[in-house]
Each structure stands twice: as C-alpha cells, then as structure tokens.
Amino acid sequence: MPQMSASSTQAEKQSNNVSRIPNGSTKSKKGKSKDYASEGVEDNDIFMLPASDFQLLGLLTAIAALVRLFRIYQPSSVVFDEVHFGGFASKYIKGRFFMDVHPPLAKLLLTLAGWLAGFDGNFDFKEIGKDYVEPGVPYVAMRLLPALMGVMTIPTIFLTLKATGCRTMTAAMGAGLIIFENGLLTQSRLILLDSPLIIFTAFTALSWTCFTNQHEQGPSKAFDASWWFWLVSTGFGLGATVSVKWVGLFTIAWVGSLTVVQLWVLLGDTVTVTPRVLAKHFFARVFCLIIIPLTFYLGLFAIHFICLVNPGEGDGFMSSEFQATLNSKAMQDVPANVVLGSR
C-alpha cells in the first residue's frame, strides 16, 4: 500500500507538471514543449484573415495593376530579350525545333498567350527595334502575361508576410515596396521570363511558409487537410519554378535544407513521434517535394517535344535517330549487308 501511494503521488506530480497548450500539444509547467511543436506559434491561416486585410490586399493589387499595365503598349517595337523569347513563341507555333538553355514552362505560357490572341508565328522578332504594329503582332497580349504575373506577386508577398505572423501594416509596407521596385516593374512589362520566375518563386515561398506554420503547431495539425494542401502546393511551386529557369534549383535547395531540419527535429521527439509516424512524415515529403516537382518538370518537356515536330535551327544538336523523328527528316532506306543464314 505505501508503494502504491508513492507511485500514485509521483504520477500526480508528473501530470501536474504537464499542461495542454491551445494548439493541442503538451507542455510542461517548466515551459518546455513535450513534442516538436514550437513555443509561441499561432495559427496564421491566410484564409482566415479579417475582411479589412482583404480590402487592403485588394487596394494594393489594384495599385500594382495600374503601375504595371499603364501604357504597356509602349514601346511598340521589339525590346531587349524579346528578340529571344518572342522568337521562341514563333518557333513553338510553327513547330520548328530549337535548343535553349532554359526549361520550357514560361516560353510555353508566352506562346499560349500569343496563340490565343491570334499570333500566327510569322513575325520573327530578330531585331531590336523591329515594329510590332504594321505586321499586326499581338504583342500587348504577350506582354500582358508577365505583367499580370508581376501584379500577382504583390498579394503573394502580402500573404507570405501575414503567414509569418507580421502585422497588417508591415505586410502592406513589404508589398508596397515591391509595387514600385523599378527593376521588377520593368521586367514585368516585357516579353521576358523573369516575371514568371519571380511569381512561381514567391508562390513557393508562400506555400512553404504556410506549411511550416502548420508543422510548427505540433502533432495536432500533422496530416490534416491544410497541412497536406500547403505541402502539395509547395511541390507544384518547386516544379514550376525550376521549369522556368534552372536558377530555381536554389529554391529547391532552400526548401530541401529546411525539410532536413524538420525531419531532424521530428527524429528527436520520442514522445509523440513513433517510427511509423516519422516514416509517414518522411514519405509525405518525398512524394510532395521530390516526386511532384520531378513529374511536373518532365511533363513540361514532354509537351515541349510534342509541340516541336518540324526541323529547325536546333535539331543539329540532336542525334541522327532523333532528327529522323521530325517531319520531312526521315532517314532514307539504305542497303544492309545480310549474312548467309541470318534471320
């Protein structure tokens, strides 16, 4: 009986030293969390912001649209690297094979914008200063795509800052600085790849920030709908970013390094993270942060090769076997030596 009394007293002391914090994680009265939840983290769900925040977000987006779309038709001639990326749109529409150092996503999107506006691919974009108006090139529609992506960067930045726990005025100030940043503004008004790269990078940062906020609230949020949504969104964001330019590999390295840190912290939580739960965390990240981006990237190259079915300037870099798959470049039948008795 004295032993039972002592053990019950000890269990009571241990239970008194542990309490539940609002996010569902356990926390000792000495202030140390009993699981992998980070102390003081609140649920910064961007879908649950007050109406006043969304009104301010709408105002900032409207200002960004005004700044980036104002007189976007000027100049009405080829500018800077529109020579290259407008030319790629022509080759996609004509189906002429070409080689380029950048992956195809942004170029395919620019081509789609031009094609929907009626571009026939006959304009070659070969010289800076070449007039758009007389040949009837829908250059405004093609410039609108990067411009609208530049506009969408502003609400993305605002929401990312809110997801980190910043005050509304701080988030508005950060988004406002992006609105009037001269370099980003100029890039988003031309047929270039930079604006798509920036919006996809920003979207990845937003998704990862929201996922991290869910993760750091502890086991109570693990594997719920919001947790999965932001993790999958991060995977698509990574795939889109690296599919515009290979500099997106730095974004993958950033997310990958933080993922390693998260898994290391999970490994150290022996209270709530069993080996089975740790395996679920590991394979969820492998699927969302490796399989999804890789599939997205390879899928875009499949579309790229489907579009380019005719001989072009870049087919000389490819093997004879590949060139033979292009239209009008089939290899001629040649005599072959046949050995007696062969089949």
Side-chain angles (χ1 to χ4, degrees), residues 37 53 66-67 90 124 186 207 277 321 338 340:
D53 282 3
L66 177 64
V67 171
S90 297
D124 56 19
T186 303
S207 300
V277 172
E321 290 81 2
V338 179
L340 180 64

Side-chain angles (χ1 to χ4, degrees), residues 172-193:
M173 182 180 297
L177 292 173
I178 299 297
I179 292 176
F180 299 104
E181 205 288 315
N182 191 52
L184 298 178
L185 173 59
T186 303
Q187 289 175 345
S188 65
R189 291 173 57 85
L190 300 172
I191 306 172
L192 303 175
L193 306 187

Side-chain angles (χ1 to χ4, degrees), residues 23 36-38 41-45 160 163-164 204-218 221-222 226-232 234 254-259 261-262 285 289:
N23 63 11
Y36 64 85
S38 299
V41 174
E42 299 178 356
D43 189 0
N44 299 320
D45 189 348
T160 302
T164 62
T204 304
L206 170 62
S207 300
W208 180 252
T209 301
C210 291
F211 170 74
T212 300
N213 178 250
Q214 296 293 307
H215 170 76
E216 291 187 348
Q217 292 178 65
K221 291 288 186 177
S226 181
W227 189 95
W228 277 110
F229 175 80
W230 290 118
L231 184 59
V232 171
T234 302
W254 168 61
V255 172
S257 61
L258 293 177
T259 300
V261 173
Q262 288 182 355
R285 286 162 172 80
L289 303 181

Side-chain angles (χ1 to χ4, degrees), residues 1 102 188 195-196 224 227 240 258 270 276 288 305:
M1 290 297 292
H102 302 302
S188 65
S195 195
D224 67 6
W227 189 95
L258 293 177
T270 58
R276 181 181 178 183
C288 293
F305 287 115

